[in-house]
Amino acid sequence: MPTGTLGVNRGAGGLPSAHTSGIVTHMMYEKSHQAFQRARQLMPGGVNSPARAFGGVGGEPVVIDRGQGPYLFDLDGNRYIDLIGSWGPMILGHAHPAVIEAVERALRRGTSFGAPTLAENELAEMVVEAVPSIEKLRLVNSGTEATMSAVRLARGYTGRPMIIKFAGNYHGHVDSLLVAAGSSAATLGVPNSPGVTEGAVRDTLVLPYNDPAAAKAAFARDGQRIAAVIVEPVVGNMGCVPPATGFLELLRDLTTKHGALLILDEVMTGFRVAYGGAQSLFGIRPDLTTLGKIIGGGLPVGAYGGRADIMDHVLPAGKVFQAGTLSGNPLATAAGVATLRVLRDTNPYPRLEQLSSRLADGFQAAASGAGVPAQVGRCGSMMTLFFTDQPVTDWETASKCDTRRYAQYFWGMIHRGVYPPCSQFEALFLSTAHTDADIDAIVAAAGQSLKEIDQ
Ligand SMILES: *Cc1c(COP(=O)(O)O)cnc(C)c1O
């Protein structure tokens, strides 16, 4: 059995070797290694979503067997304190009894009907009650479907072609939004992926996040052609980057003044940074909101919603086409309703804030203790430890982070039983299942891992 099959001593970027870290790793991941070798023959890169392949940190992923509360267990029986929560949905932790019970109940009544159900009303009602700007919504199956449909609706409703998005914001793999261009000046989008044509992104304008002047200039120039601005109100997808004071307000003002729609992409922030999402936290009322992740409780759900007069342009009330064989699926709605009920009835957000702020402080202290320049970007229970000495406010500053150091830190954490995001540019998430003891363990692991980083 070759050593370093997990890439800990052969991956890109000078990853820490099992020997220098003093931890014997190569036998600890044998079953994961075997499973991943097979997966690579079956699926491109061995995964069904690229973020899982550990491309940002080198080496091979561990293959998960099960989750329980705040923990993940891999095929070899290694336990990790989970800091990704399936990239956001698992705000109650894994296998929460209320969710399991709800899904089991739904399961026995049949898994899909292609006809209306009461559970769809229940989930829609909870979302409408929670998110003040959503008067009506449509359930879909993923965040990508939600943003794709919201963009189509914005264009259909306004009769205008252009969409503004921000560099480093991710809105799923919608062709027209797969552009990140990211220069400091406004640039017409250049496709981010082969297969996305110039035509598909011709009407997408990419601006720097948190840059009021760029937004004003874009509206001054193209105001009459802009259908919508789509924005992550707190960015999670270049690492966690909160909005600068007044930035979201400015986007609200500019869109209103020019007859464009404001779409808040709350797929990640919805029910995460507050029960009513980032819009309730910052007091912004968008025209449309996209949701996903938490509202599915770990099953595939997305939603887009907003002003009733706009939503009524969606088929069959209106003419903008959008459909889904499995949309409003009984299992998915059951998991979503169960999750939102727990969040609504227990209000875990103050507790999550307290845990998260302790973790952020712990990271900062660990980094300074190790002499590693680092910044913590955080909003509520989503955060990122950025390996840079500069504040991170946009893609330009995020992209200056030392990803080699992040990779070293990442593997140090994995070897110590903590599972952080496998990329510098992804946020971590705490759940209601995490305890103060878990935070202490994470901070201790971070302290040791950061000390191992090559300077
Ligand atoms: C995750 C995410 C999406 C895409 O959702 P999928 O369910 O992965 O398609 C869209 N927007 C934001 C802000 C996200 O975080």
Side-chain angles (χ1 to χ4, degrees):
M1 151 94 208
T3 57
T5 46
L6 261 204
V8 290
N9 53 12
R10 61 134 208 219
L15 296 166
S17 93
H19 306 292
T20 59
S21 67
I23 300 168
V24 177
T25 55
H26 57 281
M27 292 307 290
M28 290 168 65
Y29 307 110
E30 180 58 21
K31 287 183 182 156
S32 276
H33 172 65
Q34 298 299 341
F36 190 64
Q37 289 311 307
R38 181 67 181 131
R40 284 164 69 159
Q41 298 166 334
L42 297 167
M43 293 166 282
V47 290
N48 285 307
S49 191
R52 299 174 198 173
F54 282 19
V57 290
E60 286 178 12
V62 293
V63 176
I64 301 305
D65 179 44
R66 67 194 174 87
Q68 183 62 56
Y71 304 119
L72 291 175
F73 297 85
D74 71 16
L75 293 182
D76 294 280
N78 300 305
R79 192 192 82 170
Y80 306 92
I81 301 175
D82 180 19
L83 288 180
I84 66 167
S86 187
W87 304 105
M90 311 315 296
I91 192 168
L92 301 182
H94 297 283
H96 190 283
V99 178
I100 290 182
E101 213 174 282
V103 173
E104 276 179 355
R105 252 197 326 270
L107 183 59
R108 280 189 271 272
R109 301 161 71 92
T111 51
S112 183
F113 314 119
T117 61
L118 201 53
E120 292 162 271
N121 287 9
E122 285 175 5
L123 182 55
E125 203 152 53
M126 293 194 77
V127 171
V128 166
E129 276 169 15
V131 187
S133 71
I134 298 185
E135 297 166 355
K136 262 188 190 179
L137 69 154
R138 174 59 66 81
L139 295 175
V140 294
N141 302 288
S142 69
T144 295
E145 267 188 70
T147 57
M148 175 182 75
S149 309
V151 163
R152 183 185 302 141
L153 174 57
R155 286 171 162 160
Y157 174 80
T158 60
R160 299 173 177 186
M162 282 180 71
I163 301 293
I164 288 180
K165 83 170 282 283
F166 296 93
N169 281 211
Y170 177 68
H171 304 292
H173 56 97
V174 180
D175 278 6
S176 65
L177 301 176
L178 266 185
V179 272
S183 69
S184 50
T187 39
L188 270 175
V190 176
N192 221 210
S193 162
V196 176
T197 62
E198 279 174 36
V201 299
R202 186 170 298 138
D203 291 317
T204 307
L205 187 62
V206 181
L207 301 181
Y209 191 72
N210 277 336
D211 183 339
K216 285 180 198 158
F219 271 96
R221 193 176 51 240
D222 291 314
Q224 293 308 304
R225 300 185 64 234
I226 297 170
V229 171
I230 185 165
V231 62
E232 286 186 71
V234 177
V235 190
N237 288 292
M238 55 180 161
C240 181
V241 179
T245 307
F247 183 62
L248 298 175
E249 290 81 351
L250 175 72
L251 298 181
R252 177 67 284 181
D253 288 350
L254 287 170
T255 45
T256 304
K257 202 180 294 170
H258 290 88
L261 303 186
L262 178 63
I263 305 171
L264 287 193
D265 182 356
E266 298 229 45
V267 170
M268 187 180 282
T269 54
F271 299 90
R272 165 61 62 183
V273 299
Y275 188 66
Q279 55 193 273
S280 74
L281 201 61
F282 296 109
I284 300 290
R285 195 178 174 92
D287 302 293
L288 293 174
T289 299
T290 51
L291 294 168
K293 297 196 169 115
I294 288 174
I295 62 160
L299 274 79
V301 181
Y304 65 109
R307 278 166 46 193
D309 66 307
I310 300 175
M311 289 306 293
D312 280 338
H313 280 67
V314 177
L315 206 71
K319 293 188 173 145
V320 176
F321 190 87
Q322 188 269 309
T325 301
L326 293 173
S327 293
N329 173 268
L331 300 190
T333 45
V337 167
T339 299
L340 298 198
R341 275 204 186 121
V342 173
L343 294 175
R344 183 192 62 192
D345 297 345
T346 64
N347 184 22
Y349 297 96
R351 165 87 182 135
L352 281 170
E353 170 63 29
Q354 184 198 332
L355 280 180
S356 305
S357 117
R358 272 194 62 219
L359 180 58
D361 291 349
F363 277 147
Q364 288 286 15
S368 27
V372 175
Q375 312 275 325
V376 177
R378 181 174 81 87
C379 182
S381 56
M382 56 190 272
M383 81 179 82
T384 298
L385 178 60
F386 287 112
F387 286 78
T388 173
D389 54 6
Q390 300 294 317
V392 176
T393 58
D394 58 8
W395 175 243
E396 173 128 359
T397 44
S399 63
K400 295 205 170 95
C401 288
D402 189 332
T403 54
R404 192 188 58 93
R405 284 184 175 175
Y406 187 86
Q408 293 184 332
Y409 153 81
F410 172 83
W411 283 109
M413 296 295 271
I414 287 285
H415 295 153
R416 292 180 173 86
V418 181
Y419 193 111
C422 53
S423 164
Q424 171 71 95
F425 307 113
E426 303 277 4
L428 71 78
F429 303 93
L430 289 183
S431 74
T432 59
H434 287 100
T435 63
D436 281 301
D438 292 322
I439 303 299
D440 293 341
I442 297 162
V443 170
Q448 294 166 349
S449 303
L450 289 165
K451 280 193 186 117
E452 285 169 6
I453 284 179
D454 313 335
Q455 297 299 318

